[in-house]
Amino acid sequence: MCRRFKQEFLAFYYCFSCTLFVKTSMAQLFDRAINKTGPAFIAIAIILIELCTLSFYLVVFPYAHDWSTASLWKKVLTAVEFVFTLYMVYCIHFHYYMAITTHPGTMESKQSPRDSSVSLLSEEEESSLRQTLLEMEESDAGNRTMLKTCKKCHLPKPERAHHCSVCNKCTMRFDHHCPWIHNCVGHFNHRYFVLFMTYLVVSAAYFTAFGWQPFMVSLDLMNDEWPYYYPRPLMAFAAILAICMGLAIGGLCLWHYYLVLTAQTTVEFYNNYYDKQQARRQGEVFVNMYDFGFKENLRRFFNVCDKFPWYTVFYPIPIPPRGSGISYEKCDAFYMLSRSRQLDHIEMRYEGHEIDDKDI
């Protein structure tokens, strides 16, 4: 009887191990595929954006504005509108470029030498590493928690950081890995990513509002001649593409603004949802330690609090995020909790990070 049970147990264990191995291997292959095809995703995105841009300036804008018969006042308004569209196009390209090229922030970038041929850290890098560890120790000392280390990359792990399986690095304030920018969305480029989506959605709506008539003409439903050099099929495709991008990216953009207003990342949203349920079962009130209220969260995310005025959010210029990405300020509601509740919140967040990192 015992021998038969042992055989059945070994058979079950073998099947389970094989299934887990296949699942892990498939996940690794998928992550590698996303990492390798990232430049192709960027190329496709640029082609689609430029296709809509050309359609607007070669068909939509000339169709909506007849310069030859317009009055002086209307010509002034047309010139202002033309400058506005150029501003929108530039903002789309600027923020997309910044989201791609800006490092999201990792501990590896803080302690790995820039020149791979050099095995020792430079003085500047050693100073940066010491400062980073000091910030983490000071932050953890205030909460009496141990300095955390990532179990995958074996580097110090700041709060709100998660390990990305695609990049194989711990990203500061990790939100998600986006193949369309071939980069993680993290502490240092999240602002650019959200603004890129914002300008893209507004531009798509603008294109749709002014381009529906040329779109109907391009379908040859009104039997009008086509006086433009731009092909009809491309105009029709660009109009449909603008609608689809506006809806799809618009939904994603609204989701990210909800996360910004509530001081969460995509990963933290699911952790907080679980923690809220646990707190409700225990008759307690859940507190998001990073939530300062809608208005303050928005100001902190776009870093228009102290150094940069509010209107700089409309400037297509590089603006760093608030803080170093190592530690984050806590709201007053968190400090109003008892010391034990504060420690419980911090430990639950670290435990959630370690669980999620297995699947990210």
Side-chain angles (χ1 to χ4, degrees), residues 179-200:
W180 294 102
I181 64 173
H182 190 40
N183 200 0
C184 285
V185 177
H187 179 69
F188 290 98
N189 67 342
H190 199 171
R191 180 184 189 275
Y192 300 122
F193 180 77
V194 171
L195 287 176
F196 162 69
M197 291 192 298
T198 303
Y199 284 107
L200 191 63

Side-chain angles (χ1 to χ4, degrees), residues 145-146 148-149 151 157-163 267-268 270-272 274-275 278 282 289-290 340 342-360:
T145 59
M146 295 295 293
K148 301 298 180 180
T149 302
K151 295 180 179 179
K157 187 176 183 180
E159 58 179 308
R160 309 187 77 177
H162 287 272
H163 190 90
V267 177
E268 290 173 346
Y270 295 105
N271 287 339
N272 291 341
Y274 174 78
D275 292 342
Q278 292 294 104
Q282 298 173 6
M289 65 181 75
Y290 307 116
S340 60
Q342 292 181 21
L343 294 175
D344 289 342
H345 271 66
I346 294 172
E347 288 300 324
M348 287 176 63
R349 182 169 292 274
Y350 274 122
E351 289 173 3
H353 286 189
E354 293 178 358
I355 293 174
D356 288 336
D357 286 350
K358 297 178 181 178
D359 301 320
I360 293 176

Side-chain angles (χ1 to χ4, degrees), residues 49 88 92 193-209 241-255 257:
I49 292 173
M88 296 296 291
I92 290 173
F193 180 77
V194 171
L195 287 176
F196 162 69
M197 291 192 298
T198 303
Y199 284 107
L200 191 63
V201 171
V202 173
S203 298
Y206 192 88
F207 184 102
T208 304
L241 181 63
I243 296 173
C244 294
M245 284 197 306
L247 293 175
I249 301 178
L252 181 63
C253 188
L254 288 176
W255 166 250
Y257 271 104

Side-chain angles (χ1 to χ4, degrees), residues 18-32:
C18 291
T19 304
L20 184 62
F21 174 77
V22 171
K23 181 181 178 181
T24 304
S25 300
M26 292 297 294
Q28 291 176 350
L29 288 174
F30 182 73
D31 292 338
R32 291 176 184 175

